[in-house]
Amino acid sequence: MMGSEKAAPADILATAETLRKEIGHDFYERLTESIYADASRIANRAIIHVEKPTSDWNRTIDRLVTSRTFGFPIMLLMLTLVFWITIAGANIPSEMISKVLLGTIYPQLRNLAVTIGLPWWVRGIVIDGMYLATAWVVSVMLPPMAIFFPLFTLLEDLGYLPRVAFNLDSIFRRVGAHGKQSLTMAMGFGCNAAGIISTRVIDSPRERLIAIITNNFAICNGRWPTQILIATIFIGSLAPAYIGGFLSAMAVVAIAVLGILLTFAVSWMLSRTILKGQVSSFTLELPPYRRPQILRTIYTSIIDRTIFVLYRAVIFAMPAGAAIWLIANIHVGKFTIAEYAINSLNPFGIILGLSGIILLAYVVAIPANEIVIPTILMLSVLVSGMNGVGAGPGVIFQSSQAETAAILRAGGWTLLTAVCLMLFSLIHNPCSTTLYTIHKETGSLKWTAVSALLPVALGFMVTFAVAQTWHLVTGIG
Amino acid sequence: MPRRNARVCETCPAHNSTSGLKPSTDSRSVEFVVALAGNPNTGKSTVFNALTGLRQHTGNWPGKTVVRAEGWFAHDNRRYKVVDLPGTYSLLATSLDEEIARDFILFGRPDVTVVVVDANCLERNLNLVLQVLEITDRAVICLNLIDEARRYGLNVDHHRLGRELGVPVVPTAARQGEGIPQLMETISAVANQRIICKPFRSRNVPAAISRAITELTVQIEAAFPGLANARWVALRLLDGDERVREAVRGGELGSLRQQPRTLTTKTEAR
């Protein structure tokens, strides 16, 4: 018995090989076809009664939103609408929160610290550093997030996002990437670390690596507020107030679309060079449009996303606030550490249309993109020696949007700086959490390094090109 | 053909008794394993939750990055362990999800495989059902989302579907909990062999392939007597499936006799 069983497997495999050659290699397709035929026959017998389908609008909408002509315009329109609502809606609550956290609580905390006799440097680290950085992050980030995430989740629940994936699928395949990358990219618009984890749905290691490396070009939570704020201050103000919000929204959409285009371009580049190979196919289901449960969506997106992201931002803002205060206040010789860093980075920053402050801020903000703007503001106040805002060097002032604008302009910001910052915010290294996730998922230092350095290099190139062209055209510098 | 399937109906509890419940002959708590398969977006997770409630835990499939959810429910003094397989459209292609689902149905030897089906897209969902039925004899079709189908004016004759497929079909609206008790009862009936399935096997295969399949099936059956799914193994070998080839070569297939563990226990008890 044992003997015969042991001998048989080899025979079976041999027979299978012979037969395989006989029946040809389209076996799989023919078998699949036969299964489909059976399925269709059985289904037709079992479905006894089809009334006039009331769900026809489902198909009509699908034909519209996935059509060649209207698919992409509708996508852009939806994106613009979401950003416009976010920008228009976030202003007022943002100022209210900042009035409470910065205008009321902050001076009281300082007074309290003076009253109980805290040493000046403890007061500096805790109140002028940690508290202010946190308060700024909350007041600037909470309102747009509380509006943006529910809207985004509603689109998701409606079933619109799979249609976006459907529209983008063919492009991804043309650039040599996996169609599912459209889904991981969509996830990256929430959080790049989550986007990296979601690339597990891509089975081919080659295509998965492409998806991982390019995920960074999907603007994440931490960067949306930066984009929205800078667009509002510098681009929205170019136009009269009534279309300013719309113009800002368009600018943010342009950056988001540029990110998508970069995803295609870099995917194409990778799949032609270091990650060559076949494109695999997959099935994408367009689920029926379902009426979203609006209240639950708002609740869960506030709990799951807004609070989660805010929590993360706060966790990183506190130590960063302390660090910024320290480097802005510890003197080595004549200058503070921050001044040394800024002065040495400045020439390079200027070439890129940025500044030493911005580059230093991006170094400080490696743990979390959320704190880029607070860091820039804090450092601007220090370097330009502005007084009357906040209390002394290295302190974040009581900020409303108008004051933020005033500080940045006083710090030498122009429209070019704003454009380059928005570009650099899109194209730079992923945050440390994302890098850690990339390392965990790929298990490779090499690919982690590629994921970190490729975008930074690209960011330098793009901002350099934009700044130099700008100077040529305007004849300045 | 109708005669063959008539047996399925006679053994169906809905056909036989008003209560649908029969006293268990074995009072010991035997654990059955139920695999839950289905296309994505069919409400599979909702069915899983409806079956197991809070009695569940999640982990990863061994050595894989795919989440594995497991839970259990009790019915007639017996425990049924439910394993939620990854949602897949087929068991043919070679994605990780499909491999996991297929390997579990084949090598995990579930006592019952429940295939959750979206009543709104019956045809597409049946592709997976037919593939599952190629592998296993003991299956229950959970015809889910019938509420949504009803709203769209779509009516599926589940008796007819059951006769066509040769396995019991239970209509459910898992979100409302509708049909879940019946589903449990049917799972139990199949697990305890009160319902004997006669699953549909395609006869729609081109002649040349059919001949090849038969030839190979005969050989496999000779080498591994009692194998429940020799025909499916033949199909996979003809497709050059490396995993199945390995199972044949290493004799792993030899351990896949038709009798599941639970049946052995019962026989011993007698």
Side-chain angles (χ1 to χ4, degrees), chain A residues 15 20 38 45-46 203 285, chain B residues 89 95 124 157 202 219 238:
Chain A
T15 317
R20 231 161 91 76
D38 285 333
R45 282 185 196 161
D203 291 307
E285 176 166 298
Chain B
Y89 294 101
S95 87
R124 186 192 338 139
D157 180 353
S202 178
Q219 262 196 37
L238 288 175

Side-chain angles (χ1 to χ4, degrees), chain A residues 63-361:
Chain A
R63 234 171 268 140
L64 192 67
V65 298
T66 62
S67 83
R68 268 164 204 274
T69 342
F70 298 111
F72 284 95
I74 289 177
M75 243 162 63
L76 290 181
L77 201 71
M78 293 288 244
L79 261 179
T80 313
L81 193 70
V82 166
F83 290 127
W84 180 72
I85 295 176
T86 307
I87 288 171
N91 247 331
I92 294 163
S94 192
E95 249 159 64
M96 275 162 49
I97 295 177
S98 108
K99 236 177 225 158
V100 173
L101 289 182
L102 300 163
T104 313
I105 298 182
Y106 170 66
Q108 283 172 2
L109 277 177
R110 271 187 75 88
N111 287 342
L112 183 73
V114 172
T115 316
I116 60 174
L118 276 181
W120 69 274
W121 57 272
V122 174
R123 199 179 64 208
I125 293 175
V126 175
I127 297 172
D128 297 339
M130 292 163 83
Y131 173 78
L132 272 183
T134 312
W136 208 95
V137 164
V138 171
S139 66
V140 160
M141 292 193 52
L142 183 60
M145 279 196 307
I147 300 172
F148 177 72
F149 289 141
L151 286 177
F152 203 73
T153 318
L154 279 177
L155 281 186
E156 212 174 312
D157 278 14
L158 260 172
Y160 182 64
L161 290 194
R163 272 81 188 176
V164 172
F166 181 85
N167 286 339
L168 298 179
D169 166 61
S170 62
I171 307 181
F172 273 112
R173 263 184 302 168
R174 239 174 287 156
V175 299
H178 198 290
K180 278 189 196 166
Q181 198 177 320
S182 49
L183 299 173
T184 63
M185 185 179 76
M187 188 66 95
F189 279 124
C191 167
N192 291 139
I196 303 294
I197 292 174
S198 76
T199 61
R200 288 173 179 182
V201 300
I202 299 173
D203 291 307
S204 134
R206 178 191 79 89
E207 290 161 341
R208 195 175 166 208
L209 270 175
I210 294 180
I212 286 177
I213 294 169
T214 56
N215 194 272
N216 188 40
F217 298 124
I219 298 177
C220 68
N221 285 329
R223 294 182 273 168
W224 287 122
T226 306
Q227 299 286 354
I228 293 173
L229 185 77
I230 298 302
T232 311
I233 292 178
F234 286 92
I235 294 175
S237 63
L238 293 176
Y242 61 95
I243 52 162
F246 179 71
L247 194 66
S248 320
M250 291 290 285
V252 179
V253 170
I255 291 288
V257 169
L258 179 66
I260 297 173
L261 293 179
L262 274 174
T263 306
F264 293 142
V266 174
S267 298
W268 181 82
M269 200 193 77
L270 289 171
S271 71
R272 290 292 175 288
T273 54
I274 44 177
L275 288 167
K276 272 186 204 159
Q278 289 280 310
V279 175
S280 34
S281 61
F282 76 111
T283 325
L284 177 71
E285 176 166 298
L286 299 181
Y289 292 102
R290 297 204 164 102
R291 184 147 42 95
Q293 291 159 300
I294 294 177
L295 285 180
R296 212 189 63 182
T297 301
I298 291 174
Y299 174 78
T300 50
S301 68
I302 284 180
I303 295 299
D304 287 357
R305 295 204 182 173
T306 313
I307 298 296
F308 168 77
V309 171
L310 197 64
Y311 171 77
R312 212 179 83 90
V314 167
I315 290 295
F316 282 108
M318 287 211 281
I324 298 166
W325 189 87
L326 284 173
I327 60 169
N329 282 278
I330 294 176
H331 288 258
V332 179
K334 213 176 146 211
F335 298 110
T336 62
I337 298 174
E339 280 169 317
Y340 278 119
I342 290 167
N343 289 339
S344 55
L345 286 170
N346 218 20
F348 185 53
I350 299 292
I351 296 177
L352 303 177
L354 302 168
S355 68
I357 290 179
I358 296 174
L359 290 182
L360 179 62

Side-chain angles (χ1 to χ4, degrees), chain A residues 5 8-9 12-13 15 17 19-20 27-28 36-40 45-46 48-49 51 54 203 285 290, chain B residues 41 89 95-96 123-124 126-127 148 153 155 157 160 164 202 204 209 219 223 237-240 245 248 257:
Chain A
E5 268 196 27
I12 293 173
L13 293 179
T15 317
E17 273 317 293
L19 290 171
R20 231 161 91 76
F27 172 74
Y28 175 85
Y36 278 34
D38 285 333
S40 155
R45 282 185 196 161
I48 48 172
H49 178 62
E51 281 171 18
T54 51
D203 291 307
E285 176 166 298
R290 297 204 164 102
Chain B
N41 292 319
Y89 294 101
S95 87
L96 186 58
E123 183 177 332
R124 186 192 338 139
L126 282 182
N127 293 327
E148 218 169 87
N155 213 335
D157 180 353
R160 177 78 195 260
E164 291 284 342
S202 178
N204 206 347
I209 296 182
Q219 262 196 37
L237 285 179
L238 288 175
D239 194 25
R245 212 184 285 173
V248 172
R257 294 288 185 268

Side-chain angles (χ1 to χ4, degrees), chain A residues 360-378:
Chain A
L360 179 62
Y362 268 98
V363 175
V364 175
I366 285 177
N369 281 301
E370 288 86 342
I371 57 172
V372 164
I373 292 293
T375 309
I376 289 175
L377 289 175
M378 213 162 174

